[in-house]
Each structure stands twice: as structure tokens, then as C-alpha cells.
Amino acid sequence: MTRGGERHMPAITLKELAKREDRITPGHRLCPGCGAALLIRQALLAIDEPVVMAVATGCLEVSTTIFPYTAWRIPWIHCAFENAASTISGAEAAYKALQRRGKKLPRIVFIGVGGDGGTYDIGLQALSGAMERGHRMIYICYNNEAYCNTGYQRSSATPIGAHTTTSPAGRAIPGKPQHRKNLTFIMAAHEIPYVAQTTVWRWRDVVEKFRKAAQVDGPAFINVLCPCPSGWGFDPSETLEMSRLAVETCIWPLFEVEGGTKWTLNYKPKEKLPVEEWLKRQRRFAHLFKDEKGREMVKAFQEHVDREWEFLLRLCGEA
């Protein structure tokens, strides 16, 4: 056993994953190119054990459970916008209660899921409480950087400069004036067994992190960047490219934290690209390249990314 209680497992191949049954079916109503759809498919294929999942109201929920249909092949709970973490921690507590009464049950992996609105903002209290209590569960944030289900309003995961329906670029402001919140660091500060950040571009990174999270004896949190073609404003065929550029510009580094103290960088770009390589591909940032005020915001974005990247390198012993 290693720190956090996970077991060492041999790497799984793409061929092996392809032989497994999908736990989310084709035919759901998620948008073409939706990063969340790619994430959930990869994550559930990675886990060997039976799964029970609670999903907060949001894109993933409304698009996969349109009555009377469901796209799920697992026990699945729809909960309110703000309480996916407390709902799945309750299911895990009930499971342990049955075990204490002598019920022989298989090992089940409990997963809570929310978008960035339901995780960074309205669900943060429930999430922090579940992590602090130590429930054996994985919490997934499918981070599309806004409240995409309700018309693309800004969240605290939305980057500086982004045009949204509640931070519209115009004479008053050049898009969202604040930098995004670093929720992955906040969760690492809880000193839970496992915290990770990944994105759908690198399928093996996603799969291995979920396999590790499924084995820890306690809470795990995984923050996954899931590009949204309709909200961000890019062609649905470019979802993986948008994920790749987020990593190569160091806007979204891939790393993991075990026990709050062991920081590991999982990918270091050979050449760190400027942030504008990611920004200029998205309609939500188009206004930043039209005038001096916008260019100043691009500069502020770059400086913020550089500071966070250098800090992460020091934490991971890579400086």
C-alpha cells in the first residue's frame, strides 16, 4: 500500500479499455464535442468495481436523463445543484452501516459529480464537509468554466477576460474582471488522500488517476477541464485540441497531490506556449484582441499563469 491506501496496479491498455462495456450509453443528448461526455466515459471505463453515482443538476444530468429515458448503466442518483457531495457521502455512510450489521457487500466505488458552478460555487460547502469527514468517495468536477447549462453565466472557475452572459465584454468591463479560483489547491489543503487535476486530451492520465482514486481509503477529488464548444465558442471537432493547448500553455497543468504533502507533476511541456495560443481559438475571448484594454488583460492572464506555474513547479520539486 502507498500513501493514502491505494494499491499499485499495472497500467491498463487502450485495447483492454475498448473491451469493457460503457457505463454511459450512446444516444444521450450532450452536445457534439462535449468534454464532459468524454470524461465520464473514460472515468467509468477505468474503474473495475461496481459504481454508485450522484450527479448534481447541470449539463450532464439534464442531457442524460430526459424522462422516461436514461443513459446510465449504473445505480445513479439525481440530486440538487448544491449537494452532490453530501448525497453520495450519505450513500457511502449507509453502505458502511450495512457492513457493520453483517451484510456481505461487494466493494463499491461511490462517485459524486458536479460542474464547476455546482462545485466551485454553490456546492463548495457540501464538498468541503464531505472531504473533512473522510468519506470513501471520489468527487469529480467536470469543469467547463461557466454555468453552461443555464446560458453560460460566469462562475468562479471562469478565467479572467471571458465574455459570459453575466460578465459581458463591452464599455464597462472587458469580460470577467477576476482571475479564476484555484479549487484544486483548496482541496489539497484539506489533506485528503488524493487530489488530482487532468483533462480529456490525455486519456491515459485520466484513466490512471481514476484508477488510483478508486483505491484510496478515503476521499479523492479530481478536477477535470472539459471544454464546452457552445459556451467557449469553437468547433466541436476541436475539443481535444482545446484541452491540449490548455496544458501546453500551462493554463491547466496536470498534477496530483497525495495526503496534502506529496505533489507530483504529471506532464511538463517541452515548450511552454503563450496563453494567447489558447485564448485566440475561442469566441469568448475574441474581444481581447481588438484593443489596448484587451491586450492588457491578455498580459495579466499570462502573468497570472506564469506565477501559478512557477509555484506549482516548486511544490512538485521541479523548479
Side-chain angles (χ1 to χ4, degrees):
M1 304 290 280
T2 61
R3 183 194 300 269
E6 73 272 16
R7 298 190 294 270
H8 285 296
M9 298 172 290
I12 193 167
T13 67
L14 194 58
K15 186 176 181 180
E16 289 173 306
L17 286 178
K19 293 179 180 177
R20 298 186 173 190
E21 181 185 42
D22 277 319
R23 285 163 157 171
I24 182 170
T25 70
H28 53 69
R29 273 76 159 191
L30 287 160
C31 298
C34 175
L38 298 174
L39 159 66
I40 292 299
R41 185 165 182 254
Q42 292 172 359
L44 292 178
L45 283 173
I47 297 171
D48 298 322
E49 296 90 345
V51 170
V52 172
M53 180 179 283
V55 179
T57 295
C59 295
L60 185 63
E61 174 265 324
V62 301
S63 300
T64 58
T65 57
I66 298 174
F67 184 81
Y69 304 104
T70 178
W72 299 95
R73 291 175 171 145
I74 56 174
W76 187 93
I77 309 165
H78 171 219
C79 52
F81 205 163
E82 71 277 8
N83 67 349
S86 52
T87 297
I88 201 64
S89 65
E92 185 263 0
Y95 170 86
K96 286 183 175 177
L98 289 172
Q99 285 186 317
R100 288 193 296 270
R101 294 176 184 177
K103 296 285 186 180
K104 293 184 178 179
L105 301 170
R107 189 179 190 277
I108 294 173
V109 175
F110 295 90
I111 301 178
V113 184
D116 53 283
T119 305
Y120 277 64
D121 297 340
I122 193 170
L124 182 59
Q125 182 181 25
L127 174 60
S128 179
M131 300 295 102
E132 185 271 335
R133 292 192 301 271
H135 295 278
R136 184 174 62 78
M137 57 178 278
I138 304 172
Y139 189 95
I140 305 171
C141 176
Y142 65 96
N143 185 354
N144 47 33
E145 298 190 329
Y147 290 83
C148 293
N149 178 51
T150 52
Y152 201 69
Q153 296 86 17
R154 57 88 82 197
S155 77
S156 60
T158 306
I160 190 172
H163 170 88
T164 76
T165 54
T166 49
S167 61
R171 290 191 298 271
I173 56 170
K176 185 185 174 217
Q178 303 89 4
H179 291 290
R180 70 184 179 197
K181 182 163 64 184
N182 195 328
L183 183 60
T184 311
F185 275 37
I186 293 171
M187 298 315 299
H190 286 66
E191 298 185 356
I192 58 177
Y194 190 70
V195 171
Q197 189 164 285
T198 187
T199 188
V200 292
W201 167 51
R202 293 181 71 84
W203 70 267
R204 187 178 294 281
D205 191 71
V206 173
V207 166
E208 293 305 326
K209 283 173 177 172
F210 275 95
R211 295 181 79 211
K212 183 179 285 189
Q215 297 304 318
V216 299
D217 187 19
F221 172 83
I222 304 182
N223 199 353
V224 189
L225 186 69
C226 296
C228 173
S230 57
W232 294 15
F234 63 86
D235 189 273
S237 66
E238 297 180 337
T239 298
L240 294 183
E241 177 65 4
M242 298 310 303
S243 295
R244 183 189 73 84
L245 287 172
V247 176
E248 299 288 4
T249 56
C250 299
I251 289 168
W252 194 257
L254 307 183
F255 65 95
E256 57 189 344
V257 189
E258 297 170 84
T261 57
K262 183 184 177 184
W263 292 70
T264 304
L265 187 68
N266 305 119
Y267 180 84
K268 191 173 185 178
K270 291 181 180 179
E271 179 185 358
K272 182 170 175 278
L273 298 177
V275 297
E276 67 179 64
E277 292 298 313
W278 186 71
L279 299 175
K280 67 185 181 183
R281 302 284 290 270
Q282 303 169 59
R283 189 171 58 248
R284 62 177 176 160
F285 294 114
H287 59 283
L288 299 182
F289 298 93
K290 293 180 179 179
D291 55 31
E292 186 60 33
K293 185 183 288 187
R295 286 188 285 273
E296 286 298 317
M297 190 154 277
V298 173
K299 181 181 177 182
F301 197 123
Q302 182 70 67
E303 290 173 349
H304 183 76
V305 167
D306 291 344
R307 285 194 301 271
E308 285 201 332
W309 176 245
E310 292 301 323
F311 184 51
L312 178 62
L313 289 178
R314 291 196 297 273
L315 290 171
C316 296
E318 298 274 350

